[in-house]
Amino acid sequence: MKFLKFLLVGIVFGIILVKSEAVSWYRIYEMFRFESFHMYGIIGTAITTGIILLLITKKFKFKNIEGGLMKVPDKEKGLTRYIVGGTLFGLGWALSGACPGPMYILVGTGVFTMLIVILAAILGTYVYGVLKDKLPH
């Protein structure tokens, strides 16, 4: 029962993404062809909301579940890792028509072929974990 609030937030988030058409393959296709601002507006709103919430969290010194101050760890420097990783992520997004969050939402809406994409994403994550020490970071 202690995770019920997270389940409810996830359900509401899924409904919002479906209603805003953010999980629509056609909207994603339009975005990658630069034919529509719709998805860029949604992504921009999410980034802006995240920045504002992080600033509020820092200003009011919110605490995490364990009682410690919430803190965003610093990222390691390096341009290549972000370009390669972002390109691979973008290719997967373009080929499957969904990024990780919407993959589960699409299964919830009845698009069961998305289970293949989820399995491929899990396999890709596993392969990365196995090869991580051998890759340039």
Side-chain angles (χ1 to χ4, degrees):
M1 289 299 290
K2 78 179 195 180
F3 295 114
L4 184 62
K5 60 186 171 191
F6 299 109
L7 177 64
L8 293 175
V9 168
I11 290 170
V12 170
F13 181 64
I15 291 169
I16 290 169
L17 286 182
V18 169
K19 292 296 184 182
S20 69
E21 297 182 357
V23 296
S24 166
W25 185 88
Y26 297 104
R27 287 292 186 182
I28 295 167
Y29 180 74
E30 286 176 339
M31 177 186 71
F32 281 111
R33 291 182 52 94
F34 301 104
E35 294 175 351
S36 175
F37 181 75
H38 186 85
M39 289 297 288
Y40 293 109
I42 291 172
I43 293 168
T45 302
I47 290 170
T48 304
T49 302
I51 290 169
I52 291 169
L53 289 175
L54 278 173
L55 291 173
I56 290 171
T57 299
K58 284 183 179 181
K59 180 172 176 67
F60 292 105
K61 297 184 168 100
F62 288 159
K63 298 189 186 236
N64 61 22
I65 294 173
E66 296 151 355
L69 285 177
M70 292 183 72
K71 181 183 167 194
V72 177
D74 293 332
K75 297 263 185 186
E76 290 182 35
K77 303 285 185 213
L79 184 62
T80 306
R81 64 188 302 168
Y82 295 114
I83 290 173
V84 172
T87 301
L88 289 173
F89 181 84
L91 286 171
W93 191 7
L95 289 171
S96 68
C99 62
M103 289 189 309
Y104 296 98
I105 294 167
L106 286 166
V107 170
T109 61
V111 183
F112 296 112
T113 54
M114 214 29 78
L115 290 170
I116 297 167
V117 176
I118 291 171
L119 288 173
I122 291 170
L123 177 64
T125 304
Y126 175 76
V127 169
Y128 172 75
V130 169
L131 299 176
K132 182 179 180 186
D133 295 333
K134 296 173 179 77
L135 296 171
H137 283 91

